[in-house]
Amino acid sequence: MLLRLPSPPLSSSYLSTTTPIHLRLFSSSSSPRPRPRRRRSLFRCAAGNDLVEVDAFTNKSGYLFELSNSDANSIEDYDISKIGAIYRRRPLILLRRLFQTGLTFGKWFAFRYIDNLMERSDQMFEVRAAELRQVLLELGPAYIKIAQAISSRPDLIPPSYLDELSLLQDRISPFSTEVAINTIEQELGLPIEELFSEISLEPVAAASLGQVYQARLRRTGQVVAVKVQRPGVQAAISLDILILRSLAGLLRRIRKLNTDLQAVVDEWASSLFREMDYRTEANNGLKFRKLYGGIPDVLVPEMYLDYTTRRVLVMEWVEGQKLSEVNDLYMVEVGTYCSFNQLLEYGFYHADPHPGNLLRTYDGKLAYLDFGMMGEFKQELRNGFIEACLHLVNRDFGALAKDFVTLGLIPPTADKEAVTKALTGVFQNAVAKGVRNISFGDLLGDLGTTMYKFKFRIPSYFSLVIRSLAVLEGVAIGTNPDYKVLGSTYPWIARKVLTDSSPELKSSLHALLYEEGIFKIDRLESLLSEALRARTEKALLRKQEDERVVIKQILSFMLAEKGAFVRDILLQEFAKGLDALGLATLDSITTLATASIPFTSTFSFSTMTNEDKINLRTLHRLLLLLSRLQGIENSKAVIKEDIPYNNQQMNLEEASLVFNQLASIQDILPILSVIPELPPESQQQLLNLPADLTGRLISRAAARTIRRIIL
């Protein structure tokens, strides 16, 4: 229900002036206009007595609000030294908070212990879950934030606790609407009726840091969400972080942990303080909208900076259902693709994607809300994360150990061989199931013992990245218990590796495709197969593509500028293979010619080196790949491992197989049929390939001839 507000007198209305709102609201030469007393009675009468009831946090922890204005202003930004100095001057508040926290949690754990002794844990499970939620509400935002992250993991939390903790996402007891209106008027410097023509009587959602009202802007008539910060959150969170940071340092010393737990707390606290500044959140929302608002079926609401201050935020109103409450796997796929862009394309990511911040709109789009907690993922770390995923999927655990050093997870002085052996033991079973079945949560769980043994560290930046991915997988599991976020993200990683122009990823791709100088075509086929799964369009998600669509996708990639690096590798391998085929043909002719000459049948002569034999085998496998091109997406890499050549007869057999493959023209016809559908520049690039291949072949043959003459 919206309360229609009376129109303001024209003499005081912003309609009577051309001065922009944000200039009048924040002008240092004028003080905020006092709120008329009649507004207070208006909202008290309209809302009723229930809305002025004190919420649990204010009731139990209201003493934390007793900071002077100077102290409150000094901790607008996270600075642990300032926070420590403030509460050293107020030891009684610190001791009271310690006593309250210890007593509250101690009482709850005591009841759980008694339940176990009396063998009634199962009967009291739901009761204790509800009590835990009430405990968190009383203690306030810092503890609620921790619980919100946990509540997004249905695979880790019992259902009763999950149901209760999920209520903390947007169903926290609201504070007084009268206080909220007062905050809006003080922050924006205008009476409420000059800002909005309508506003809801009650908050439509209440979270740990603030609550949201639906309103209509008087100036434009736009329906908006008005977010108002909860009183006292800055003081409460500051004190709780001080306590948690001290406990983290104590725990690290007692358990002799390698991870700097205090740095992890600092990283989380910094992001939490940025979240409490709604001006930062508005700017984050604008940046997020610019980077990701153009992704199909992603909605990022518009921010109204003119109406935004440190404690009040006005943004576009979005309606929908929580993503966790709808069974829509397509929305999960859209979220996975958007997360890939956030983490690995631009490095600016939503670090708090719990179900309350992800909505499925009624027109079928995924809406992101709440941009207070964001993270930055630097380019070198993004490349390191991509390389780690590649090496994990391809079971290159030695390279994975080096990636962990790059990511800052293990110190450079660690024993690489021992780490490689340990990672092999941890990951080989998980990877054996295939990339599409790798669970991000399972990998983290399996890694626990190894992390402790080899002095793994959790860098401060990594905690937010892990949380973002873990929460996304948790939301997805609620829709599909078999969903694997890493398996769904890997196709985008494969596509990025194949198309990215950065020298680092080109080097990684080359190292992946060549092992001890031998071209691993099965790895290329795997990358192409996974890259073809990287799509979000609804029509393609139905997996009803015909072979022409798949072939056209591959050719378009190979002939485009972004496929130049892979195209160069393939041309080089074809040139090497055709050169080896020529040598094998020469050997075959020589063998046939000398077979009828007496006393020569027992002699075997070959011009082929071991490298040539490998190149011939690679050519055969490339032709097999080409013939299966239209079915590559569903192929299972049936190419067998390399078998050493023992005699010339095997060389001739391989050459015969290659010629037979070349004779299978019908396998190539589907490829030729889509050429007219390619863009003109791609067709021109295709016409240039024979000349390019011939040039490489001639250069190789000339170089070999010169080398053999000299040697």
Side-chain angles (χ1 to χ4, degrees), residues 56-57 60-61 97 100-109 111 128-141 143-144 147 165 168:
F57 170 55
K60 297 291 185 179
S61 303
R97 186 61 169 176
Q100 179 194 8
T101 305
L103 180 63
T104 305
F105 277 120
K107 181 180 177 181
W108 184 82
F109 279 111
F111 281 126
R128 300 302 177 222
E131 290 176 349
L132 177 60
R133 179 174 65 87
Q134 186 61 33
V135 164
L136 296 171
L137 287 174
E138 293 176 2
L139 291 177
Y143 297 96
I144 291 173
L165 295 182
L168 297 174

Side-chain angles (χ1 to χ4, degrees), residues 48-339:
N49 294 328
D50 56 329
L51 283 183
V52 298
E53 181 182 343
V54 178
D55 62 283
F57 170 55
T58 303
N59 185 38
K60 297 291 185 179
S61 303
Y63 63 91
L64 297 174
F65 306 171
E66 299 171 4
L67 287 183
S68 65
N69 290 334
S70 59
D71 286 338
N73 292 333
S74 67
I75 55 174
E76 287 188 352
D77 299 316
Y78 179 64
D79 187 333
I80 193 62
S81 60
K82 289 183 179 180
I83 295 173
I86 289 173
Y87 287 105
R88 276 194 297 270
R89 298 194 300 268
R90 291 170 173 76
L92 293 180
I93 294 182
L94 174 59
L95 291 174
R96 184 176 176 181
R97 186 61 169 176
L98 283 170
F99 179 77
Q100 179 194 8
T101 305
L103 180 63
T104 305
F105 277 120
K107 181 180 177 181
W108 184 82
F109 279 111
F111 281 126
R112 285 295 312 275
Y113 180 71
I114 293 173
D115 291 341
N116 289 331
L117 290 179
M118 299 181 66
E119 298 182 352
R120 62 179 189 183
S121 297
D122 293 340
Q123 297 93 317
M124 299 298 293
F125 212 69
E126 293 184 4
V127 174
R128 300 302 177 222
E131 290 176 349
L132 177 60
R133 179 174 65 87
Q134 186 61 33
V135 164
L136 296 171
L137 287 174
E138 293 176 2
L139 291 177
Y143 297 96
I144 291 173
K145 278 293 181 183
I146 296 173
Q148 284 176 344
I150 297 174
S151 69
S152 299
R153 296 295 308 192
D155 53 332
L156 303 178
I157 305 299
S160 296
Y161 282 84
L162 184 66
D163 292 341
E164 290 293 337
L165 295 182
S166 296
L167 297 177
L168 297 174
Q169 291 165 0
D170 59 359
R171 298 180 190 175
I172 298 174
S173 299
F175 59 93
S176 166
T177 292
E178 184 180 351
V179 172
I181 297 300
N182 189 41
T183 300
I184 294 173
E185 293 186 335
Q186 287 181 348
E187 289 290 308
L188 297 181
L190 287 173
I192 193 71
E193 70 272 11
E194 291 194 22
L195 298 166
F196 310 109
S197 58
E198 297 175 333
I199 191 168
S200 58
L201 294 176
E202 302 178 13
V204 294
S208 56
L209 300 184
Q211 59 195 38
V212 178
Y213 294 84
Q214 185 183 21
R216 186 182 300 276
L217 292 176
R218 183 170 293 279
R219 183 174 64 172
T220 64
Q222 178 71 37
V223 178
V224 295
V226 183
K227 186 174 179 180
V228 187
Q229 191 169 108
R230 187 178 292 272
V233 293
Q234 201 105 19
I237 287 177
S238 300
L239 181 53
D240 288 332
I241 286 174
L242 180 64
I243 295 173
L244 291 173
R245 192 177 186 277
S246 300
L247 291 176
L250 182 63
L251 179 62
R252 186 188 184 192
R253 288 193 296 272
I254 293 175
R255 299 293 301 274
K256 298 180 180 180
L257 301 176
N258 304 303
T259 299
D260 187 350
L261 295 181
Q262 289 187 320
V264 174
V265 173
D266 287 337
E267 181 71 17
W268 173 68
S270 297
S271 65
L272 197 53
F273 265 73
R274 290 192 295 269
E275 188 176 1
M276 287 188 287
D277 187 344
Y278 288 168
R279 295 168 300 186
T280 301
E281 179 176 349
N283 287 321
N284 287 340
L286 291 175
K287 183 176 180 180
F288 197 90
R289 180 183 174 94
K290 179 180 179 181
L291 292 177
Y292 314 117
I295 295 176
D297 294 323
V298 169
L299 173 64
V300 183
E302 183 180 353
M303 301 290 158
Y304 294 90
L305 295 182
D306 290 351
Y307 295 88
T308 297
T309 70
R310 183 176 183 82
R311 299 174 60 201
V312 174
L313 170 65
V314 177
M315 59 189 289
E316 177 186 355
W317 177 261
V318 178
E319 291 192 4
Q321 295 174 279
K322 284 186 184 179
L323 185 59
S324 57
E325 295 177 351
V326 295
N327 186 14
D328 192 338
L329 189 57
Y330 172 67
M331 284 289 99
V332 174
E333 292 288 351
V334 171
T336 299
Y337 174 60
C338 190
S339 294

Side-chain angles (χ1 to χ4, degrees), residues 612-624:
D612 293 326
K613 298 171 185 177
I614 293 172
N615 292 338
L616 182 61
R617 164 74 55 98
T618 299
L619 177 62
H620 181 209
R621 296 172 69 172
L622 282 171
L623 292 174
L624 282 174

Side-chain angles (χ1 to χ4, degrees), residues 317-608:
W317 177 261
V318 178
E319 291 192 4
Q321 295 174 279
K322 284 186 184 179
L323 185 59
S324 57
E325 295 177 351
V326 295
N327 186 14
D328 192 338
L329 189 57
Y330 172 67
M331 284 289 99
V332 174
E333 292 288 351
V334 171
T336 299
Y337 174 60
C338 190
S339 294
F340 162 79
N341 277 272
Q342 293 172 47
L343 288 170
L344 301 180
E345 283 289 348
Y346 299 102
F348 182 70
Y349 63 95
H350 199 301
D352 192 24
H354 65 72
N357 292 336
L358 297 172
L359 297 181
R360 181 194 184 277
T361 64
Y362 295 121
D363 59 350
K365 293 185 178 181
L366 178 64
Y368 281 82
L369 307 176
D370 195 350
F371 306 100
M373 188 175 288
M374 310 296 290
E376 295 277 357
F377 208 16
K378 296 180 180 178
Q379 182 65 56
E380 61 269 22
L381 297 175
R382 300 205 298 268
N383 289 341
F385 188 84
I386 291 173
E387 291 170 0
C389 291
L390 286 175
H391 295 144
L392 172 65
V393 170
N394 289 280
R395 309 182 195 186
D396 189 349
F397 299 113
L400 184 61
K402 296 178 181 178
D403 296 331
F404 278 20
V405 174
T406 301
L407 293 171
L409 294 173
I410 57 176
T413 56
D415 185 344
K416 303 298 189 303
E417 292 185 5
V419 172
T420 299
K421 184 177 179 180
L423 292 177
T424 302
V426 170
F427 290 141
Q428 63 180 352
N429 291 332
V431 178
K433 302 175 185 177
V435 62
R436 304 183 192 188
N437 297 309
I438 297 177
S439 169
F440 183 76
D442 290 346
L443 289 181
L444 292 179
D446 294 341
L447 196 58
T449 303
T450 304
M451 291 176 66
Y452 182 80
K453 181 179 179 181
F454 290 99
K455 302 184 184 303
F456 272 52
R457 301 171 296 189
I458 302 297
S460 55
Y461 80 88
F462 206 65
S463 60
L464 290 180
V465 173
I466 293 296
R467 182 177 185 274
S468 178
L469 290 174
V471 167
L472 180 64
E473 185 168 79
V475 173
I477 287 173
T479 301
N480 178 9
D482 297 325
Y483 189 86
K484 305 294 185 291
V485 69
L486 183 57
S488 296
T489 305
Y490 187 70
W492 300 106
I493 294 176
R495 174 171 288 190
K496 182 172 179 63
V497 170
L498 289 171
T499 61
D500 199 274
S501 60
S502 69
E504 294 83 5
L505 289 186
K506 282 185 176 180
S507 176
S508 297
L509 177 60
H510 190 274
L512 179 70
L513 297 181
Y514 288 91
E515 188 173 286
E516 297 180 354
I518 299 176
F519 181 59
K520 309 294 289 186
I521 189 174
D522 54 328
R523 293 183 175 180
L524 176 62
E525 182 176 10
S526 174
L527 284 173
L528 287 172
S529 175
E530 290 298 326
L532 287 176
R533 292 201 300 126
R535 54 191 180 268
T536 60
E537 295 84 352
K538 292 181 179 178
L540 294 180
L541 278 174
R542 297 170 187 162
K543 299 183 179 179
Q544 295 178 345
E545 307 92 324
D546 59 22
E547 64 182 38
R548 292 176 59 84
V549 174
V550 176
I551 294 172
K552 186 176 179 180
Q553 286 179 328
I554 295 177
L555 287 180
S556 297
F557 159 68
M558 290 294 184
L559 297 174
E561 180 63 29
K562 61 184 179 182
F565 186 70
V566 176
R567 183 172 68 245
D568 185 72
I569 290 177
L570 289 176
L571 284 174
Q572 188 65 29
E573 291 302 320
F574 266 110
K576 290 158 63 175
L578 290 173
D579 180 49
L581 179 63
L583 294 177
T585 304
L586 180 61
D587 285 353
S588 178
I589 295 173
T590 302
T591 300
L592 292 175
T594 58
S596 58
I597 301 176
F599 310 110
T600 60
S601 58
T602 58
F603 294 95
S604 177
F605 174 76
S606 175
T607 59
M608 297 184 69

